[in-house]
Amino acid sequence: MLIVFAILLLIFAMAGVFIGPPLKRARLASAAMDVEVLAKKVPIESRSRRGGQGLIVFLRSNTANRTLELVADTNPAPAGNGTFEDPDGGGSTDTRLGDIQPVQLPEGVVFYDPGVPYGNSWANWGATATGFAVGVDFQGRTVRPTGGQIAGAATLFLTHADMVSGVVAPLVVHRISIAPVWGVRQTRLVKDGAGWKEY
């Protein structure tokens, strides 16, 4: 019985070594794709809201609970005031779009700052009470929560905590960029001994 138990433990340990890292990489890639898809919905939702007359819609992150969701500028209703009032910030607030499923990052997938030469997560996003936000106006331009078009891309980076700690190698980072005229692009960065490679 002890021999059988030892063999089972060995099999489970080997499965963790050989299956664990690919599963974590797949979980990271899937989460990055979900965020990209949600970001691509922002201009569509902006044009379709208020009976087709449109509203400014913001992509908002909650860094505490690692979610991303859409928020419509509805304060004051119906046209909004062009700025972001955080639904979780108290006082007068905009409206969280409950019919659009938010993205909850899976366990282990985290926001990450790769540093030079790629910059930092949340570049060109605006800080909110619970995280960061960036929006799109009626002309399809990417705007800050306080209004005004951004000058460069709004970026965020996702990776897996086990890649940061070195338990899983190499370090893979998914960069999601939102252009000044709203357009979403995802690239994959891989860090090895020679530095960063971009795919």
Side-chain angles (χ1 to χ4, degrees):
M1 188 66 126
L2 287 174
I3 293 171
V4 171
F5 185 66
I7 291 171
L8 287 174
L9 282 177
L10 182 62
I11 290 170
F12 285 130
M14 290 175 62
V17 169
F18 293 111
I19 298 174
L23 284 177
K24 289 171 183 174
R25 283 191 280 274
R27 190 175 294 134
L28 170 62
S30 176
M33 181 63 68
D34 289 344
V35 173
E36 181 184 5
V37 168
L38 182 66
K40 287 181 175 178
K41 290 180 180 178
V42 173
I44 298 167
E45 293 302 319
S46 175
R47 289 190 297 268
S48 65
R49 296 286 159 171
R50 205 162 57 100
Q53 295 182 53
L55 284 172
I56 293 178
V57 171
F58 295 94
L59 175 62
R60 190 278 291 264
S61 75
N62 187 319
T63 50
N65 63 19
R66 297 166 39 252
T67 59
L68 291 102
E69 59 194 359
L70 303 190
V71 175
D73 174 22
T74 55
N75 182 44
N81 59 6
T83 61
F84 178 83
E85 282 86 25
D86 197 327
D88 299 318
S92 298
T93 59
D94 292 329
T95 304
R96 185 181 288 110
L97 299 182
D99 56 331
I100 303 298
Q101 185 69 31
V103 171
Q104 172 71 58
L105 296 182
E107 191 64 37
V109 175
V110 295
F111 301 115
Y112 181 73
D113 288 331
V116 177
Y118 292 105
N120 294 320
S121 205
W122 314 118
N124 286 319
W125 293 61
T128 75
T130 54
F132 300 89
V134 66
V136 66
D137 68 10
F138 303 126
Q139 286 79 41
R141 297 174 301 189
T142 305
V143 294
R144 297 180 188 278
T146 53
Q149 187 176 13
I150 66 170
T155 57
L156 70 90
F157 300 85
L158 298 172
T159 191
H160 197 283
D162 285 351
M163 293 179 185
V164 177
S165 68
V167 172
V168 176
L171 173 58
V172 177
V173 179
H174 288 259
R175 175 178 60 183
I176 297 157
S177 302
I178 301 167
V181 175
W182 195 281
V184 183
R185 180 171 179 253
Q186 182 187 163
T187 52
R188 187 167 53 96
L189 312 173
V190 179
K191 190 173 188 180
D192 56 22
W196 289 102
K197 294 181 181 176
E198 186 171 347
Y199 299 92

